[in-house]
């Protein structure tokens, strides 16, 4: 499932923070001017400060701020037309608060969309522990509604399947994602469950990542670390009709594919 953004979300994301801040300041000052003018020329329609008979612009600005933030002040009371202005400003304050929340949420969504576009696809990785034990993985990354899914099949050095695994992202940034994984299906699996962290790099001409470094922290074994390379449109990938289809000769080719890319660095 590909993550998408609505046009409204996209508009909010693309609006710079300084424009949002300018919008807030503009409306806050405009309402402060309205309260000040009403209080100055028609006091019965302005605001009344029980602690001070003189209404200054600073007082009006303060009142505008606490009104827009919906906090309010018990010492200052709107009169006449100012009551209608207060109602309008409270509504503006609610809209602004909604914009800020939407921008924060949409900013995260935008990062996920971009990361998904750059990271989705088939990969080959290889990880090694501190004792030199190696595990080859045929993996793939795809987008979910709320994150990324990282799954695949691991193989021992002998080529025997170690386990299948599936993991879902628990954190992500523009070029990094952490996944909580669980391995299953095989009795001779290396990993059980834990957290794997992928940091992507090397962007191709299509704007996609072609490499990631990986660190696997399993609950019961030492940390494994290594790297992965995008399995591009090759005869090997075309021959593997399904992701579960990985005969012994294909495993050797996957290992050669990985070693070939590793040697290029």
């Amino acid at each position: 499932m590909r993550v998408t953004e609505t046009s409204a979300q996209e508009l909010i994301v693309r609006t710079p923070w300084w424009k949002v801040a300018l919008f807030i300041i503009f409306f806050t000052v405009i309402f402060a001017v309205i309260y000040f003018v009403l209080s100055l020329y028609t006091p019965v329609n302005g605001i009344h400060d029980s602690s001070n008979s003189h209404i200054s612009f600073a007082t009006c600005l303060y009142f505008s701020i606490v009104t827009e933030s919906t906090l309010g002040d018990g010492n200052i009371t709107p009169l006449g037309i100012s009551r209608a202005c207060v109602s309008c400003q409270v509504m503006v304050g609610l809209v602004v608060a909604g914009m800020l929340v939407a921008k924060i949420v949409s900013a995260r969504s935008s990062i996920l969309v971009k990361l998904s576009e750059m990271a989705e696809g088939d990969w080959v990785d290889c990880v090694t522990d501190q004792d030199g034990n190696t595990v080859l993985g045929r993996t793939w990354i795809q987008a979910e509604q709320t994150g990324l899914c990282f799954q695949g099949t691991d193989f021992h050095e002998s080529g025997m399947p170690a386990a299948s695994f599936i993991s879902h992202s628990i954190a992500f940034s523009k070029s990094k994602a952490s996944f909580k994984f669980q391995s299953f299906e095989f009795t001779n699996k290396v990993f059980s469950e834990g957290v794997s962290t992928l940091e992507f790099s090397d962007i191709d001409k299509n704007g996609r990542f072609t490499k990631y470094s990986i660190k696997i922290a399993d609950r019961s074994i030492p940390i494994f670390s290594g790297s992965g390379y995008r399995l591009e449109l090759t005869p090997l990938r075309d021959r593997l009709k399904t992701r579960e289809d990985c005969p012994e000769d294909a495993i050797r080719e996957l290992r050669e594919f990985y070693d070939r890319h590793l040697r290029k660095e």
Side-chain angles (χ1 to χ4, degrees):
M1 180 183 296
R2 180 172 290 278
V3 179
T4 58
E5 288 183 315
T6 65
S7 56
Q9 286 178 315
E10 188 175 355
L11 178 61
I12 292 174
V13 169
R14 291 183 178 181
T15 302
W17 280 103
W18 69 267
K19 287 188 177 181
V20 176
L22 191 61
F23 173 83
I24 296 172
I25 293 171
F26 173 77
F27 275 95
T28 303
V29 173
I30 285 296
F31 277 103
V33 170
I34 293 173
Y35 297 133
F36 181 67
V37 171
L38 290 174
S39 301
L40 185 63
Y41 294 103
T42 58
V44 293
N45 290 310
I47 60 175
H48 171 69
D49 186 354
S50 61
S51 62
N52 188 353
S53 58
H54 175 68
I55 300 297
S56 65
F57 180 76
T59 301
C60 293
L61 182 60
Y62 165 74
F63 180 70
S64 180
I65 293 172
V66 297
T67 298
E68 192 166 311
S69 63
T70 68
L71 294 176
D73 188 313
N75 293 324
I76 304 177
T77 306
L79 305 172
I81 296 175
S82 289
R83 292 183 177 181
C85 294
V86 166
S87 299
C88 291
Q89 189 171 14
V90 168
M91 295 301 295
V92 171
L94 294 175
V95 171
V96 168
M99 285 179 59
L100 292 176
V101 172
K103 185 165 179 61
I104 292 171
V105 173
S106 296
R108 176 177 169 82
S109 175
S110 179
I111 292 173
L112 174 58
V113 170
K114 187 65 175 177
L115 180 60
S116 299
E117 292 175 349
M118 298 177 70
E120 276 188 310
D122 289 47
W123 298 76
V124 177
D125 65 25
C126 186
V127 294
T128 308
D129 69 3
Q130 58 189 11
D131 297 324
N133 299 310
T134 299
V135 177
L136 180 71
R138 183 195 174 203
T139 67
W140 57 94
I141 299 171
Q142 61 189 36
E144 299 179 313
Q145 190 62 40
T146 58
L148 294 176
C149 179
F150 176 54
Q151 54 188 317
T153 303
D154 293 327
F155 300 92
H156 292 289
E157 294 180 40
S158 62
M160 180 182 298
S164 292
F165 71 90
I166 186 169
S167 56
H168 303 280
S169 59
I170 53 177
F172 55 83
S173 64
K174 292 182 178 180
S175 60
K176 189 175 182 179
S178 296
F179 301 83
K180 185 175 182 180
F181 71 83
Q182 181 178 8
S183 295
F184 53 92
E185 290 187 10
F186 303 113
T187 56
N188 57 344
K189 61 185 179 183
V190 177
F191 307 110
S192 178
E193 59 180 297
V195 175
S196 56
T197 302
L198 277 61
E199 186 162 3
F200 299 92
S201 60
D202 296 0
I203 301 174
D204 65 13
K205 61 181 180 180
N206 296 316
R208 301 184 306 167
F209 292 118
T210 60
K211 178 186 175 182
Y212 62 68
S213 59
I214 179 172
K215 182 174 291 187
I216 301 175
D218 192 272
R219 65 178 183 176
S220 58
I221 60 175
I223 292 177
F224 277 71
S225 60
S227 57
Y229 299 95
R230 183 181 290 279
L231 186 59
E232 300 167 336
L233 294 174
T234 62
L236 171 59
R237 199 182 80 165
D238 294 341
R239 184 157 58 84
L240 301 175
K241 300 300 182 182
T242 68
R243 288 167 174 169
E244 291 74 24
D245 178 23
C246 208
E248 185 175 339
D249 59 334
I251 297 172
R252 289 195 299 270
E253 290 185 54
L254 288 172
R255 184 55 193 250
E256 291 172 0
F257 172 87
Y258 175 86
D259 290 340
R260 187 164 60 251
H261 280 72
L262 188 64
R263 287 193 296 269
K264 290 180 180 179
E265 298 186 354

